[in-house]
Amino acid sequence: MEMDALSLSYEEWKTFVTDVLKEPRFRADQICGWVYAKKVFEASGMTNLSKSLRDKLTSESFIKTPIQVGEKKSKDGTRKFLWQMDDACRVESVLMNHGSHTTACVSSQAGCPLACTFCATGQAGYARNLTTSEILGQFLTMERRMGRDINNIVFMGMGEPLLNEENVLKSIRALSNEKMRNLGARHITISTSGIAPGIRDLADFEVPLRLSVSLHAPNDALRSRLMPINKRYPLSALVEAMKYYKNRTCERITIEYVMIDGVNDDPQLAFEMAALLDGLDVYVNIIPYNPPLAISQGAPVYARSSDAKIKEFCAALGGLSIEFEIRRERGADIAAACGQLAAMGRSSFIGSAHY
Ligand code: SAH
Ligand code: SF4
């Protein structure tokens, strides 16, 4: 059977090259250089390989990147890509510019099973985990499409990355491996809704990453209302896992906190959050709530906190010496902002002529 080349780790590449292609191991470095650095996905374009090796590579392996079926560009330069996988599953990725730097926000699952009440992805339902090649394919295809390297990758698209840990970590190994994509450790971020055992695994993972935890509420009653996963991993378990991560890695964790009007924006909750996270030395990202374009039936209708309310909440954080930043909204006009990705098949792209 032909090998799905993007699913291979560096070690697996070497084995594939020696055992299947019957070539010396260093050929793996050459091939990975073509695929990951130069974005040449067809063996015929790998010009420093012999004709017979190119032919063998073509017959023994394939690179299948997601098919791009849509692209939208925001007035702030943010782009949203819609991909279709082999089984017609659709997911979205977002590409953001910050000056000369670019960040790709990729999906780890088609939909998300965790059904957070404020999130368009969660409300749209869940299809399946993405494979390692589907995750890498989003990133590499965007690089190929843009004709330049992307500087950062964040797992903040559709899905919960720590529910698809094996494929997410395998894709990160490939991205960070110096013979493959060679992306710096500080340039990879995982955002999680708080899968406590997964956070512990990240603490022990060999590639140093950045970790963001979506907190959104500092007590179990409110958090369980917003994020059903909190019933499985309540705040006590989440905080324990974060402390383990902090002790193992000495890395600062970012807390994400979406501001929803009248729900979690009372400054009193800032004090509760400070008490909960005491000793963790976190950095807080305040995200003004982005309303989804379509609200599913029965889902609560939320609104964004007013600027005055956000200021008041942040003043409380500042008074408690907690560092924070209010995240600038990107791509909201094309539904590319945090929590707005919802393409699953019934996507906003289908039947739309806007791109
Ligand atoms: N499943 C992971 C990563 C994807 S969501 C997680 O939940 O962390 C990326 C971020 O967007 C999370 O912090 C999430 O809570 C936030 N988010 C979800 N819906 C949002 C919305 N409607 N407005 C603003 N942020 C939202
Ligand atoms: Fe899933 Fe994250 Fe959305 Fe919650 S916020 S439903 S975990 S993608």
Side-chain angles (χ1 to χ4, degrees), residues 194-214:
I195 309 296
I199 292 175
R200 286 171 185 273
D201 292 343
L202 288 186
D204 299 329
F205 184 51
E206 71 270 19
V207 182
L209 319 152
R210 287 178 185 272
L211 174 65
S212 286
V213 173
S214 301

Side-chain angles (χ1 to χ4, degrees), residues 260-274:
I260 309 175
D261 183 42
V263 175
N264 65 350
D265 59 354
D266 189 317
Q268 187 53 40
L269 295 173
F271 291 95
E272 248 186 88
M273 173 152 69

Side-chain angles (χ1 to χ4, degrees), residues 118-119 156-157 159-160 191-193 214 216 256 258 289-290 338-339:
F118 50 82
C119 170
M156 291 190 188
E160 168 50 55
S191 172
T192 178
S193 59
S214 301
H216 307 321
E256 291 174 279
V258 57
Y289 168 72
N290 296 308
C338 290

Side-chain angles (χ1 to χ4, degrees), residues 75-262:
K75 51 185 189 295
D76 66 23
T78 301
R79 285 168 194 267
K80 181 166 81 164
F81 296 89
L82 176 68
W83 314 110
Q84 180 154 314
M85 307 305 177
D86 264 357
D87 60 354
C89 252
R90 291 180 165 204
V91 303
E92 294 175 324
S93 313
V94 178
L95 194 60
M96 293 160 283
N97 296 312
H98 323 267
S100 60
H101 277 60
T102 46
T103 297
C105 173
V106 300
S107 293
S108 55
Q109 300 183 305
C112 182
L114 296 186
C116 299
T117 55
F118 50 82
C119 170
T121 309
Q123 293 301 309
Y126 172 66
R128 64 171 173 86
N129 276 334
L130 297 185
T131 63
T132 305
S133 7
E134 288 168 341
I135 295 169
L136 287 169
Q138 295 170 59
F139 185 82
L140 296 174
T141 309
M142 282 190 280
E143 288 196 318
R144 176 142 127 161
R145 166 87 180 75
M146 304 313 290
R148 63 188 153 103
D149 281 358
I150 296 169
N151 310 93
N152 307 291
I153 183 168
V154 296
F155 287 84
M156 291 190 188
M158 301 168 77
E160 168 50 55
L162 296 182
L163 289 184
N164 185 14
E165 209 178 303
E166 195 182 325
N167 294 326
V168 165
L169 296 189
K170 195 164 189 192
S171 67
I172 290 175
R173 283 193 192 98
L175 289 170
S176 65
N177 189 298
E178 57 173 12
K179 302 285 192 197
M180 298 173 88
R181 180 52 184 80
N182 195 21
L183 193 64
R186 316 229 141 256
H187 299 269
I188 303 173
T189 302
I190 286 192
S191 172
T192 178
S193 59
I195 309 296
I199 292 175
R200 286 171 185 273
D201 292 343
L202 288 186
D204 299 329
F205 184 51
E206 71 270 19
V207 182
L209 319 152
R210 287 178 185 272
L211 174 65
S212 286
V213 173
S214 301
L215 188 71
H216 307 321
N219 62 64
D220 282 323
L222 179 57
R223 194 163 191 271
S224 296
R225 220 175 89 202
L226 299 175
M227 308 176 75
I229 188 65
N230 190 68
K231 294 179 198 137
R232 175 105 183 260
Y233 302 113
L235 285 167
S236 54
L238 176 55
V239 168
E240 275 309 303
M242 286 165 65
K243 285 188 173 153
Y244 180 77
Y245 182 91
K246 170 87 179 131
N247 290 339
R248 287 281 293 180
T249 64
C250 298
E251 291 290 335
R252 197 174 201 196
I253 299 171
T254 297
I255 295 294
E256 291 174 279
Y257 199 98
V258 57
M259 296 292 278
I260 309 175
D261 183 42

Side-chain angles (χ1 to χ4, degrees), residues 30-100:
Q30 288 181 315
I31 300 170
C32 286
W34 282 111
V35 174
Y36 285 92
K38 300 201 189 85
K39 262 59 77 175
V40 170
F41 300 151
E42 303 78 22
S44 56
M46 302 181 182
T47 48
N48 62 352
L49 307 183
S50 69
K51 171 85 170 63
S52 72
L53 173 53
R54 280 186 267 151
D55 289 346
K56 268 191 286 182
L57 195 56
T58 305
S59 59
E60 298 293 345
S61 71
F62 64 91
I63 287 188
K64 184 137 188 39
T65 50
I67 299 166
Q68 186 183 331
V69 288
E71 180 174 341
K72 286 182 177 175
K73 192 165 178 200
S74 158
K75 51 185 189 295
D76 66 23
T78 301
R79 285 168 194 267
K80 181 166 81 164
F81 296 89
L82 176 68
W83 314 110
Q84 180 154 314
M85 307 305 177
D86 264 357
D87 60 354
C89 252
R90 291 180 165 204
V91 303
E92 294 175 324
S93 313
V94 178
L95 194 60
M96 293 160 283
N97 296 312
H98 323 267
S100 60

